Amino acid sequence: MTRKPKTKLILVAGLAVVAAALINGKAVPIYDGIGNPDEPYRYVSPPASQKRSTSPPTDAAGLFNISDLTNNLNGLYVSSNETGPQVAVNLGENSLILSPEAKTVDIKAVPLAPTVQPSDGTIAGNVYRLTITPNTGTVEFRFLANSSTSYIDLRLPQGFLSQPVMEHKPVNGSWMRVGTSQVGNDIYEAQLSDVGDYALVIPKSTVSKIHHQHKIKTALVIGILIIIAAMIAIIFVIRSGSKKGRQ
Amino acid sequence: MIAVTYPKAIFVKPRMLLVGVLMIGFGASLGLRIVLGGYSVAQSIPAGLAFASCLLLLTLAAGTRAIINRKVVLIGIAGGLFLCLPAMFIHLLGSSKLHGGKGYLSWAAAATTVAFAEEAFLRGALFDVIKKWRTEKEAVIIAAILFTALHIPLYGWRIVPLDFAVGIWLGVIRSLSGTFVASGMAHAIADLASWWI
């Protein structure tokens, strides 16, 4: 490459980086390496195999004016203070039906130790109890078709090998599965349609598969290492062949 | 003893073969990282280090050499600081929380190792072979494509435009400095800064 095209290339590449970064709109992860690690999961009551964390888990809480909910396209967002947050709640614009006299609304997701396990699996991490309390009157969720702006995100504790599902337990109800999607490395999301308890659950069917998965994983690792070793050997052969050819 | 004389054309093929072998090695190393990292592959330090070790072994086998001098260091630092600018700007506009300093050193050591291993392989071993086989421009583009592809399993499709642009930028740095050390420095600076911005 000559000097002029290089200057042009630097400018083009530089502008491309700036434009892509602005479009992407998020600083982390920037370009690579290893994603910034989450702090160890903070349990209310850790399982026997886990050490008790030094700090207790935190609430996701916020007190908002009603106007914040009715005139806000992004909705109201609260998250807990861990790195990264163990719970986050977003309520979309006009997603709640409140009494006309209500002036403020208090949103809280409080961590609790699991007491009642669901029938179809085991809870991974804390249970989060979501409450939405207006200063006066009652509150109900408004059903908005195709709305994806009211959601709850829960972080899966470290060390779980299987995919969890989110379950919801309404006040005075029992656990039931809700549609779950993975939205980050270890963040799982479900649409909100009610207050009550939310938790990530490792389904029973997958617990029995873990042992089998472990065997497959070991076989895959060995297979991949053999391939890499073979590629290294081939590189040496090609290079020594090229050297001989040149001599 | 019969002396074998090879026609010149046969020595063009080893470069193509070498590119293929390096790419298979790269794919296998990425596969190893995904298998070891599981659901938290992007944050798994052991998986990242296993991946980096495989890339470094492939790079060493390919006989890639590092060059370090003042020009290389200056280009690397300038390139890295430029990569931090958009992220700093977005961070200043946004409200994302800062990480504390806890765990930074061990994370930084692992992130730097992975960044240098990726650069040593992509813009060292592979770049050199593609440059000799085809052209420098193609080396920049192919390395940027692989750099982008490498991050999709870790961070999802949303990073494609940014990582491709950064891949080209790192390729330009490699091309200007003549060594992967400068792009490795730029890459490591951007990664290390990502903790704070």
Side-chain angles (χ1 to χ4, degrees), chain A residues 5 9 19 28 34 40 65 82 85 102 125 127 134-136 184 213 220:
Chain A
L9 199 60
V28 177
I34 294 171
N65 288 321
E82 299 87 8
V127 170
N135 65 318
T136 178
Q213 279 175 353
L220 271 172

Side-chain angles (χ1 to χ4, degrees), chain B residues 107-179:
Chain B
W107 172 83
T112 306
T113 307
V114 175
F116 264 96
E118 284 179 10
E119 292 307 315
F121 179 84
L122 289 174
R123 276 165 279 268
L126 192 68
F127 192 99
D128 289 346
V129 180
I130 296 172
K131 188 180 159 186
K132 281 177 194 161
W133 174 45
R134 307 284 295 183
T135 63
E136 192 167 22
K137 268 185 191 168
E138 282 172 79
V140 170
I141 292 167
I142 292 170
I145 291 170
L146 291 182
F147 179 76
T148 309
L150 144 71
H151 296 120
I152 295 169
L154 278 70
Y155 305 121
W157 290 95
R158 71 191 169 92
I159 53 85
V160 168
L162 180 60
D163 274 20
F164 183 69
V166 173
I168 296 286
W169 176 256
L170 292 171
V172 171
I173 290 173
R174 158 67 180 81
S175 174
L176 282 174
S177 64
T179 171

Side-chain angles (χ1 to χ4, degrees), chain B residues 8-26:
Chain B
K8 202 184 172 188
I10 206 165
F11 299 114
V12 178
K13 284 182 183 171
R15 281 178 192 152
M16 193 168 78
L17 187 61
L18 204 52
V19 170
V21 170
L22 284 171
M23 284 192 178
I24 293 170
F26 174 76

Side-chain angles (χ1 to χ4, degrees), chain B residues 93-104:
Chain B
L93 289 180
S95 58
S96 54
K97 289 171 192 165
L98 280 174
H99 274 72
K102 200 179 167 189
Y104 182 72

Side-chain angles (χ1 to χ4, degrees), chain B residues 2-76:
Chain B
I2 303 164
V4 181
T5 53
Y6 296 90
K8 202 184 172 188
I10 206 165
F11 299 114
V12 178
K13 284 182 183 171
R15 281 178 192 152
M16 193 168 78
L17 187 61
L18 204 52
V19 170
V21 170
L22 284 171
M23 284 192 178
I24 293 170
F26 174 76
S29 307
L30 181 57
L32 183 70
R33 185 177 192 177
I34 293 167
V35 171
L36 288 177
Y39 290 112
S40 52
V41 59
Q43 294 173 330
S44 169
I45 288 179
L49 290 178
F51 170 69
S53 305
C54 292
L55 291 188
L56 286 174
L57 285 173
L58 287 162
T59 306
L60 284 172
T64 308
R65 292 201 181 133
I67 303 167
I68 306 173
N69 55 41
R70 208 165 71 174
K71 180 188 161 196
V72 168
V73 172
L74 285 176
I75 292 175

Side-chain angles (χ1 to χ4, degrees), chain A residues 6 10 14 20-21 24 27-29 31-37 80-81 161 163 185 217 224 228 231 235 239 245, chain B residues 11 21 28 33 35 39 42-43 54 61 63 82-83 86 90 97 107 118 151 154-155 158 162 166 187 190-191 194 197:
Chain A
K6 267 188 181 170
I10 293 168
N24 204 53
V28 177
Y31 311 120
D32 169 52
I34 294 171
N36 297 348
S80 57
N81 288 324
L161 296 171
Q163 191 90 13
N185 298 317
K217 189 177 168 177
I224 290 170
I228 293 168
M231 293 306 118
I235 292 169
R239 285 185 64 213
Chain B
F11 299 114
V21 170
R33 185 177 192 177
V35 171
Y39 290 112
Q43 294 173 330
C54 292
F82 176 78
L83 286 178
I90 293 165
K97 289 171 192 165
W107 172 83
E118 284 179 10
H151 296 120
L154 278 70
Y155 305 121
R158 71 191 169 92
L162 180 60
V166 173
H187 190 158
D191 280 356
S194 75
I197 48 180

Side-chain angles (χ1 to χ4, degrees), chain A residues 16-31:
Chain A
V17 170
V18 173
L22 294 175
I23 291 166
N24 204 53
K26 207 167 186 181
V28 177
I30 302 193
Y31 311 120

